[in-house]
């Protein structure tokens, strides 16, 4: 998997500007996966069947595992896990607001629609990273991609089943109406994105990735008899929700979630997050 | 197993005669008493997996590191998987379907382990379940590899294998707390004092007070008595508790036989509470049953939608990738 060209080289080789670009991208990746995994676990012991419970728990664990891989790359720059998760100000997290929204009890349609919208975007994003100029990311994209493939398949299967009956379709429609604007935040960025593109850390721009995502997700939803809003392609910015997350502006639900996540760490007065598994660099194939 | 083959149906005496490890399978035409007793036992076990997972789930989120979160999430998932496996083993007796058993659990009629009727409030309580209760469960489950209902014994092979990792992880969480700050050590001791009597009661009342034991032992479903299991647990786990600096509370009194074995003074334990718990009438447990039931009720529409899909000849339900 290692990239042929020297590219940006090792963490130590990076200039300040390069490093800032790499970090910006990694924070979004890691935070998205962690927070989505956190939300998915809400379905453990609550999913409709034991089988669906196990399947979503698997997916949640994959997301945590991916978060771990991406946070590990951020640790190359000196931060430790406590800095990155447990002691970081919730306003410094850079995940999209799509992944932080809580689930209403019983709203399995939300879990499925959210998963689908996210997984398609994740696939597009990882494809744009397959040819990254930063070798540390390139080394890990393959593993993450192979697992994400199953996630998308899982979401698609469920969408097809639920869309097949009236109540299921109505619930999916509600979820799409509510979540689609939040999903657009996955493609939001800031002034550093131009540099990310120029440095080849990613081979597609956010705008181009959003187009690819529309190309896949919109026709699929429509093929199931689900409506997507008029004009969303032409003017996506006008559909964005109040909080986009990527800029650190989050919903109140995120503060509550972060508070719960860090509760034990604070209650015990911990100052570090203990490792119990081998470093990802030592388990690479 | 069908009523049409009356002549081939074994009677209880024949069952007792043949009873031995993994002796009976769905190929045998077993009498109703056996099938009911085995169903009751396996259903209890399956329910316990689900309610244990229910209790532990919040600590996936509250785990104090990402590694712990991953390991703990995998554990909760394993417990659900064990529930799935055990309901299947119970179903194979032809007495109740899985849906029936899950409905009974939601309705407060399904019985499960005493320990899972109590609330868990902080991380220091995690090893009380993940080390002591799971350790106790391991002892019992290991003996069930020799139970006479083969599908149950077979499920135990996988369950025991995975449970071995859980107990190790639980022990590691305990070690971390026991070697942590003074506050962590104090929280651990408090949790231990709260949970210790319940953990001892895990094995149920003494043999004389246990209603189901004799029959289950005679037909080979159980291979050890409550007392034997409890004593074996005490012998193994009292030294472990001490190793981590935990002090046994004054009650229940524990008799040290000075030969490496221990016994508990049974009348020091609150058996009224135990039997209230056993009837699903203990308050925190009731709340836990009902909250789970409400969550399951809220996704009833999904199950209906799936039934619909399957009856229309759709492909099978999405499965876990394993």
């Amino acid at each position: 998997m290692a990239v042929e060209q020297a590219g940006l080289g090792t963490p130590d080789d990076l200039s300040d500007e390069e490093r800032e670009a790499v970090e910006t991208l990694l924070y979004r990746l890691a935070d998205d996966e962690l927070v989505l995994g956190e939300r998915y676990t809400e379905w453990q012991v609550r999913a409709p069947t034991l089988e669906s419970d196990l399947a979503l728990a698997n997916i949640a664990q994959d997301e945590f595992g991916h978060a771990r891989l991406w946070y590990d790359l951020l640790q190359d720059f000196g931060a430790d896990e406590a800095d990155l998760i447990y002691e970081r100000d919730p306003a410094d997290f850079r995940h999209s607001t799509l992944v932080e929204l809580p689930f209403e009890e019983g709203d399995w349609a939300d879990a499925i629609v959210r998963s689908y919208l996210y997984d398609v975007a994740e696939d597009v994003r990882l494809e744009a990273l397959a040819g990254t100029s930063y070798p540390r990311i390139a080394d890990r994209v393959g593993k993450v991609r192979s697992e994400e493939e199953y996630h998308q398949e899982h979401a698609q299967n469920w969408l097809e089943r639920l869309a097949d009956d009236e109540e299921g379709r109505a619930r999916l429609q509600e979820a799409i109406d509510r979540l689609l604007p939040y999903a657009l935040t996955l493609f939001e960025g800031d002034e550093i994105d131009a540099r990310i593109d120029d440095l080849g850390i990613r081979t597609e721009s956010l705008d181009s990735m959003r187009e690819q995502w529309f190309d896949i997700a919109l026709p699929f939803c429509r093929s199931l008899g689900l409506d997507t809003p008029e004009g969303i392609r032409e003017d996506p910015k006008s559909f964005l929700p109040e909080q986009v997350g990527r800029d650190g502006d989050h919903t109140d639900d995120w503060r509550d979630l972060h508070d719960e996540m860090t509760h034990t760490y604070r209650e015990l007065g911990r100052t570090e997050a203990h490792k119990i598994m081998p470093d990802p660099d030592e388990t690479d194939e | 197993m069908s009523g049409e083959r009356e002549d081939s149906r074994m009677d209880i005496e024949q069952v007792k005669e043949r009873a031995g490890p993994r002796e009976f399978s769905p190929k045998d035409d077993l009498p109703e008493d056996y099938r009911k007793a085995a169903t009751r036992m396996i259903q209890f076990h399956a329910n316990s997996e689900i309610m244990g997972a229910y209790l532990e789930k919040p600590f996936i989120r509250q785990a104090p590191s990402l590694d712990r979160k991953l390991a703990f999430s995998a554990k909760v998932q394993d417990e659900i998987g064990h529930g799935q496996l055990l309901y299947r083993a119970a179903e194979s007796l032809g007495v109740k379907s899985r849906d029936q058993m899950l409905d009974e659990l939601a309705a407060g009629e399904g019985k499960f382990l005493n320990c899972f009727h109590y609330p868990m409030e902080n991380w220091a309580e995690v090893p009380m379940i993940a080390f002591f209760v799971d350790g106790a469960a391991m002892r019992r489950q290991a003996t069930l590899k020799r139970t006479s209902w083969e599908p149950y014994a077979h499920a135990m092979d996988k369950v025991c294998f995975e449970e071995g990792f859980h107990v190790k992880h639980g022990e590691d969480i305990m070690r971390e707390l026991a070697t942590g700050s003074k506050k962590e050590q104090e929280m651990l001791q408090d949790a231990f004092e709260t949970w210790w009597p319940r953990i001892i009661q895990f094995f149920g009342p003494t043999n004389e007070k246990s209603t189901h034991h004799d029959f289950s032992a005679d037909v080979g479903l159980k291979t050890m008595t409550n007392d034997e299991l409890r004593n074996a647990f005490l012998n193994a786990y009292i030294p472990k508790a001490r190793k981590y600096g935990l002090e046994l509370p004054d009650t229940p009194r524990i008799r040290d036989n000075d030969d490496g074995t221990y016994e508990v003074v049974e009348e020091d334990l609150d058996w009224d509470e135990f039997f209230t718990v056993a009837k699903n009438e203990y308050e925190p447990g009731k709340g836990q049953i009902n909250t789970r039931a409400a969550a399951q009720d809220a996704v009833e529409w999904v199950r209906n939608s799936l039934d619909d899909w399957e009856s229309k000849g759709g492909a099978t339900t999405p499965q876990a990738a394993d």
Side-chain angles (χ1 to χ4, degrees):
Chain A
M1 263 299 152
V3 199
E4 280 298 313
Q5 79 273 27
L8 293 177
T10 69
D12 291 339
D13 298 332
L14 302 182
S15 69
D16 287 350
E17 292 213 322
E18 288 167 342
R19 172 182 155 158
E20 186 184 32
V22 168
E23 279 187 310
T24 298
L25 184 115
L26 283 172
Y27 271 116
R28 294 178 194 160
L29 277 172
D31 293 347
D32 277 350
E33 298 279 65
L34 172 68
V35 177
L36 185 62
E38 238 3 286
R39 285 300 182 202
Y40 281 156
T41 62
E42 290 176 15
W43 287 101
Q44 281 192 273
V45 204
R46 284 170 181 258
T49 60
L50 298 179
E51 288 71 23
S52 51
D53 204 303
L54 293 167
L56 198 59
N58 254 342
I59 293 174
Q61 278 166 57
D62 286 346
E63 306 301 18
F64 287 143
H66 301 164
R68 193 171 163 269
L69 290 176
W70 302 132
Y71 283 125
D72 183 63
L73 293 190
L74 282 162
Q75 294 183 29
D76 290 347
F77 304 115
D80 62 18
E81 186 182 312
D83 300 325
L84 293 169
I85 300 175
Y86 292 90
E87 296 188 19
R88 182 148 57 118
D89 187 326
D92 289 337
F93 278 73
R94 289 291 181 264
H95 56 270
S96 134
T97 40
L98 176 73
V99 299
E100 76 192 31
L101 303 174
F103 293 109
E104 292 295 321
E105 183 157 79
D107 198 353
W108 184 247
D110 179 322
I112 296 305
V113 168
R114 193 185 306 199
S115 171
Y116 176 74
L117 297 175
Y118 181 83
D119 293 336
V120 173
E122 185 62 3
D123 191 44
V124 169
R125 169 159 70 175
L126 292 171
E127 205 176 313
L129 289 174
T132 177
S133 56
Y134 187 56
R136 293 281 282 161
I137 292 178
D139 288 344
R140 293 179 183 196
V141 168
K143 178 184 164 43
V144 174
R145 263 188 109 179
S146 65
E147 292 181 349
E148 293 287 351
E149 238 165 78
Y150 161 70
H151 299 182
Q152 200 178 325
E153 202 182 297
H154 173 263
Q156 259 172 244
N157 285 344
W158 266 106
L159 282 175
E160 284 166 5
R161 277 158 184 73
L162 294 177
D164 196 53
D165 84 355
E166 210 176 315
E167 180 175 12
R169 200 163 49 248
R171 289 192 186 247
L172 290 176
Q173 187 63 58
E174 269 175 50
I176 286 182
D177 294 346
R178 190 176 61 249
L179 295 173
L180 210 48
Y182 286 97
L184 293 172
T185 70
L186 287 163
F187 305 101
E188 286 304 295
D190 52 36
E191 72 286 351
I192 297 171
D193 283 276
R195 205 188 308 158
I196 294 175
D197 294 333
D198 289 345
L199 291 168
I201 302 169
R202 165 179 81 200
T203 56
E204 299 280 350
S205 70
L206 289 171
D207 286 341
S208 146
M209 288 196 285
R210 184 175 45 232
E211 282 301 309
Q212 291 178 39
W213 179 75
F214 278 139
D215 283 342
I216 302 165
L218 298 183
F220 183 69
C221 290
R222 289 185 194 131
S223 75
L224 298 173
L226 298 163
D227 295 328
T228 53
E230 287 289 318
I232 194 166
R233 263 200 103 121
E234 293 71 27
D235 187 13
K237 300 273 178 201
S238 70
F239 286 83
L240 283 173
E242 199 181 323
Q243 286 98 2
V244 299
R246 290 282 190 245
D247 54 358
D249 189 17
H250 293 279
T251 64
D252 290 342
D253 294 314
W254 162 241
R255 282 199 174 269
D256 296 342
L257 173 56
H258 186 267
D259 198 59
E260 279 177 50
M261 258 171 57
T262 55
H263 171 80
T264 298
Y265 181 91
R266 285 179 286 113
E267 185 181 32
L268 300 180
R270 292 264 167 101
T271 52
E272 61 175 317
H274 299 169
K275 303 263 184 209
I276 56 171
M277 296 176 194
D279 187 276
D281 286 324
E282 281 152 37
T283 54
D284 279 353
E285 309 87 304
Chain B
M1 250 198 298
S2 76
E4 293 140 38
R5 289 161 44 225
E6 281 305 332
D7 50 344
S8 66
R9 172 157 294 179
M10 295 163 73
D11 65 32
I12 283 295
E13 289 316 309
Q14 287 169 295
V15 171
K16 287 180 182 171
E17 187 97 347
R18 262 179 64 187
R22 303 183 187 228
E23 182 61 30
F24 306 121
S25 76
K27 289 195 291 275
D28 295 294
D29 193 1
L30 291 152
E32 202 180 353
D33 285 350
Y34 178 93
R35 291 188 287 118
K36 278 192 171 161
T39 303
R40 184 177 56 237
M41 195 169 155
I42 305 171
Q43 183 180 0
F44 180 95
H45 198 163
N47 289 343
S48 301
E49 299 282 356
I50 303 296
M51 293 310 291
Y54 173 90
L55 200 56
E56 290 186 304
K57 186 192 89 159
F59 294 93
I60 301 170
R61 176 162 297 172
Q62 292 176 32
S65 79
L66 197 45
D67 280 5
R68 288 268 180 241
K69 189 186 292 293
L70 263 161
F72 208 66
S73 163
K75 175 194 194 295
V76 172
Q77 186 190 9
D78 282 349
E79 309 293 8
I80 298 288
H82 297 169
Q84 183 194 35
L85 210 61
L86 285 160
Y87 284 121
R88 204 177 293 152
E91 267 185 332
S92 67
L93 286 147
V95 177
K96 291 177 188 172
S97 70
R98 180 174 94 175
D99 286 349
Q100 227 174 323
M101 292 184 268
L102 286 168
D103 286 347
E104 285 177 10
L105 182 60
E109 292 155 12
K111 304 296 170 60
F112 56 95
L113 269 180
N114 72 315
C115 290
F116 300 149
H117 289 256
Y118 297 92
M120 257 171 97
E121 271 143 19
N122 65 53
W123 183 256
E125 291 178 284
V126 167
M128 298 306 125
I129 301 285
F131 180 61
F132 288 108
V133 176
D134 284 1
M138 268 289 274
R139 299 245 138 209
R140 175 145 73 190
Q141 286 162 348
T143 71
L144 292 173
K145 286 182 175 188
R146 295 169 56 77
T147 186
S148 58
W149 184 243
E150 194 279 333
Y152 191 20
H154 185 70
M156 282 308 104
D157 292 336
K158 181 170 170 24
V159 169
C160 288
F161 178 76
E162 293 181 352
E163 211 65 54
F165 291 103
H166 299 175
V167 175
K168 274 201 186 124
H169 182 221
E171 183 164 6
D172 195 52
I173 293 174
M174 188 156 89
R175 179 199 51 75
E176 198 175 87
L177 290 162
T179 57
S181 65
K182 188 155 184 295
K183 171 154 191 209
E184 291 185 33
Q185 292 174 19
E186 282 168 5
M187 282 173 69
L188 185 66
Q189 177 67 31
D190 283 349
F192 182 65
E193 284 174 24
T194 305
W195 281 86
W196 178 241
R198 306 165 183 172
I199 292 164
I200 296 177
Q201 287 182 311
F202 172 99
F203 295 100
T206 52
N207 296 332
E208 302 91 78
K209 284 191 202 151
S210 169
T211 41
H212 301 305
H213 178 73
D214 290 348
F215 180 81
S216 302
D218 289 346
V219 297
L221 284 168
K222 272 184 164 188
T223 61
M224 268 174 96
T225 67
N226 291 354
D227 289 355
E228 285 167 336
L229 285 166
R230 185 184 318 102
N231 290 340
F233 171 78
L234 291 174
N235 299 343
Y237 279 77
I238 287 177
K240 284 181 199 275
R242 289 189 172 140
K243 176 181 157 194
Y244 291 105
L246 292 171
E247 282 173 45
L248 298 187
D250 294 337
T251 51
R253 284 165 291 167
I254 302 283
R255 287 200 202 100
D256 187 340
N257 297 333
D258 290 326
D259 59 356
T261 68
Y262 300 89
E263 270 171 80
V264 63
V265 178
E266 293 253 359
E267 60 265 30
D268 284 2
L269 293 161
D270 187 344
W271 292 103
D272 287 342
E273 182 175 292
F274 178 84
F275 286 109
T276 308
V277 162
K279 281 184 273 183
N280 288 348
E281 284 169 8
Y282 187 70
E283 207 34 70
K286 255 164 92 176
Q288 285 160 206
I289 293 167
N290 292 337
T291 310
R292 183 198 156 271
Q296 279 304 307
D297 196 42
V299 281
E300 178 71 25
W301 70 272
V302 183
R303 288 188 293 272
N304 292 339
S305 173
L306 282 179
D307 288 347
D308 222 34
W309 167 268
E310 274 156 29
S311 66
K312 279 192 240 164
T316 49
T317 313
Q319 296 287 329
D322 47 21

